[in-house]
Amino acid sequence: MVNFVLVAGARLGAWAWGEVVPYLRAAGHGVYPLTLSGLADKRGVPAGQATHVQDIVAEVERQGLRDVVLVGHSYSGIPVGQAAERIGDRLARVVFVDSSVPTDGESFVSAWPDAGAAVEASIAENGGFWPLAPAAHYDGEGLTDEQIARLVRGSTPHPGATLTEPAVLAGPLGELPATYILCVMPGAEPDDAEPDEDVAELLNSKRWRLDKMDTGHWPMFSQPRELAQILLNAAVE
């Protein structure tokens, strides 16, 4: 048995894993979906990047978890990757679900083409928060209208500092046992069907492996059973 700690991406909370959790529990594992500070049921709690890292570490320690599989989706790959090295021998594996990966001294938005200028401007205009995405943001991602409605309804503005503050890593990320799940919609352009440069470099490590899913960026909604199976496979690697 392992213990899955599930962390969804920007604007989301523990609720986003609702359709994945039953499959993992049915296989006999511990499952701990986590809401990060400032989001969903923790809305209003001040948060920076270090806060989100500590949220994850604190959950592992509070629950007394060992054999931990940390799972980070989208934005949350940044704090999950940092937390993975901080929980030491409690870690069994870290899984990045179509996510960003942390680089020491870099933020979530620093790798964006405009170095995050547009996001930072949006945060400044919205009281320190990255505002909600409209329903059209989720088009073309393999989601039904009902799934898009759930995403829009459940989302909360995201604490801006968590996106712009730098990650802090003590060692090379490639030394952690890791699985990267790349989500690619059928018919995608060739460049979109391969990991970005940072992830591709990490996949050269003998401790990293790549899985692909034929779906969009929110597989916990579009393909929860298939995502759960990949997570279960990763747990026994």
Side-chain angles (χ1 to χ4, degrees), residues 84-164:
E85 69 173 15
R86 297 185 194 186
I87 64 172
D89 62 4
R90 294 175 183 265
L91 181 72
R93 196 164 193 86
V94 56
V95 182
F96 297 95
V97 182
D98 212 40
S99 77
S100 300
V101 292
T103 298
D104 187 55
E106 301 292 336
S107 71
F108 171 69
V109 297
S110 60
W112 291 30
D114 64 351
V119 173
E120 291 187 13
S122 179
I123 290 168
E125 293 167 3
N126 288 276
F129 291 86
W130 200 21
L132 300 180
H137 177 70
Y138 303 99
D139 289 346
E141 296 288 347
L143 298 162
T144 66
D145 289 345
E146 189 276 333
Q147 288 165 343
I148 291 174
R150 283 173 54 210
L151 271 163
V152 172
R153 186 170 60 247
S155 294
T156 46
H158 192 96
T162 69
L163 306 174
T164 59

Side-chain angles (χ1 to χ4, degrees), residues 4-16:
F4 290 96
V5 176
L6 309 173
V7 193
R11 308 184 181 99
L12 305 177
W15 65 272

Side-chain angles (χ1 to χ4, degrees), residues 75-89:
Y75 151 77
S76 289
I78 302 289
V80 160
Q82 295 169 78
E85 69 173 15
R86 297 185 194 186
I87 64 172
D89 62 4

Side-chain angles (χ1 to χ4, degrees), residues 29-83:
H29 299 292
V31 189
Y32 301 85
L34 177 64
T35 295
L36 298 174
S37 294
L39 297 164
D41 51 299
K42 295 180 182 176
R43 188 171 182 175
V45 178
Q49 179 57 216
T51 314
H52 280 180
V53 177
Q54 185 54 35
D55 285 343
I56 300 163
V57 174
E59 178 72 359
V60 171
E61 293 177 346
R62 184 176 69 84
Q63 299 283 0
L65 303 179
R66 303 198 70 83
D67 298 315
V68 174
V69 178
L70 285 183
V71 181
H73 162 252
S74 192
Y75 151 77
S76 289
I78 302 289
V80 160
Q82 295 169 78

